[in-house]
Amino acid sequence: MISLPINFGLTSGIQVGMKYAKANGYDIAIQFDGDGQHEAKYLKKLVNEIEKNNVDVAIGSRFVEKKKPFTARMIGNRLISFVIKIVTWKKIKDPTSGMRAYNKKAIDMFNSNASLTPEPDTVVYMIKKGLKVKEVQVEMKDREFGESYLNIFKSVKYMVNILLSIIFIRTFTRKEK
Amino acid sequence: MSLTLRIILFVGSLVSFYLCVKKIKQAKLKVENSITWMVGSFILILMSIFENTVGWIANKFGFMSSANFVFFIIIVFLLIQVFIDNIRLSILNEKIKNLNHYIALKENADERKANNKK
């Protein structure tokens, strides 16, 4: 466990993990919610994708085999999915999922670009850079403890941030030759 | 430009100039950060003195009055200053974040070393 002396937010936490993974030469790094929403038994599935199927980023998705419900909470999810489809021509069914596994290539990317966050716009960046992103069906539970950092106002702000980032910044990401 | 506005500009610029020099002497303001303020207040002093030139330029650019032109210059100056400050803030933020990471990783490595020795 790495404890940071100053609370700098979620992104900073993920980034320090990526630095640690690189410094210790790890092959795979996993992004995982600690509030009981995610179940560790599905991690094997994600890691399998990377190890066996040559995938660079595996996303634990709720909606690969199951249908996305038409609820208010899914409006944002659908909107981000739609924008990602337009920008990358790829269908990401659960872009806001916080359960992801990254291989060495993706870990290196996190280390070389400080603007990468654990949010959907990073997925767009990685697709644009030519990484293979694949979704894997998982189940998620309701959070057992802790509180989401999103309330109504923050949700709107989050959506605007993510959409602006995808549309105006990540769209212009070019694949390296 | 009315005489009142010219006097306000002149006095205001002098005061900001004086404050800059004072803060630099107290080491509360870096010289390189103060240059924009110094240049800014100097331009305002020039504008309050050479009213005719300002009026001529304002007329060429199509401003309704030279006062509008002076305000326009001030707004542009402030926007640039805010933008520069924003960039500086982001850079500082990034540096603190990296320091934060460095401390955390270092402490973690030291802890593991200590545990291995036991």
Side-chain angles (χ1 to χ4, degrees), chain A residues 34-37 142-148:
Chain A
D35 58 4
Q37 277 196 81
D142 283 334
R143 110 176 17 86
E144 279 167 9
F145 39 81
E147 236 173 76
S148 170

Side-chain angles (χ1 to χ4, degrees), chain A residues 19-158:
Chain A
K19 279 184 189 173
Y20 183 85
K22 191 180 164 99
N24 291 285
Y26 289 178
D27 293 321
I28 293 172
I30 285 166
Q31 173 190 333
F32 190 79
D33 286 6
D35 58 4
Q37 277 196 81
H38 297 165
E39 288 179 86
K41 63 179 179 192
Y42 293 110
L43 292 180
K44 190 93 189 144
K45 256 176 137 182
L46 296 187
V47 172
N48 250 340
E49 280 302 322
I50 291 182
E51 281 181 338
K52 304 231 166 85
N53 296 344
N54 223 4
V55 169
D56 294 306
V57 180
I59 302 175
S61 166
R62 285 162 286 180
F63 314 119
V64 175
E65 289 147 18
K66 289 185 183 156
K67 270 203 142 183
K68 207 179 281 187
F70 279 94
T71 56
R73 279 181 67 183
M74 286 302 142
I75 293 174
N77 199 308
R78 276 168 195 283
L79 193 55
I80 295 174
S81 256
F82 177 68
V83 173
I84 291 179
K85 173 92 185 168
I86 290 174
V87 171
T88 65
W89 292 107
K90 245 188 97 95
K91 186 96 198 149
I92 299 289
K93 287 176 181 140
D94 193 2
T96 55
S97 164
M99 190 200 240
R100 298 186 195 146
Y102 304 93
N103 74 351
K104 240 183 182 144
K105 247 193 209 165
I107 294 173
D108 282 346
M109 248 177 212
F110 265 102
N111 275 282
S112 59
N113 187 340
S115 77
L116 295 187
T117 63
E119 308 295 356
D121 61 321
T122 297
V123 175
V124 174
Y125 176 85
M126 289 179 166
I127 294 173
K128 282 270 179 189
K129 281 281 180 196
L131 264 61
K132 221 175 136 194
V133 176
K134 203 182 161 195
E135 285 184 290
V136 179
Q137 176 69 41
V138 298
E139 296 289 327
M140 285 187 198
K141 293 194 272 189
D142 283 334
R143 110 176 17 86
E144 279 167 9
F145 39 81
E147 236 173 76
S148 170
Y149 60 91
L150 299 174
N151 56 34
I152 295 175
F153 292 108
K154 278 189 185 160
S155 298
V156 172
K157 203 182 150 206
Y158 172 88

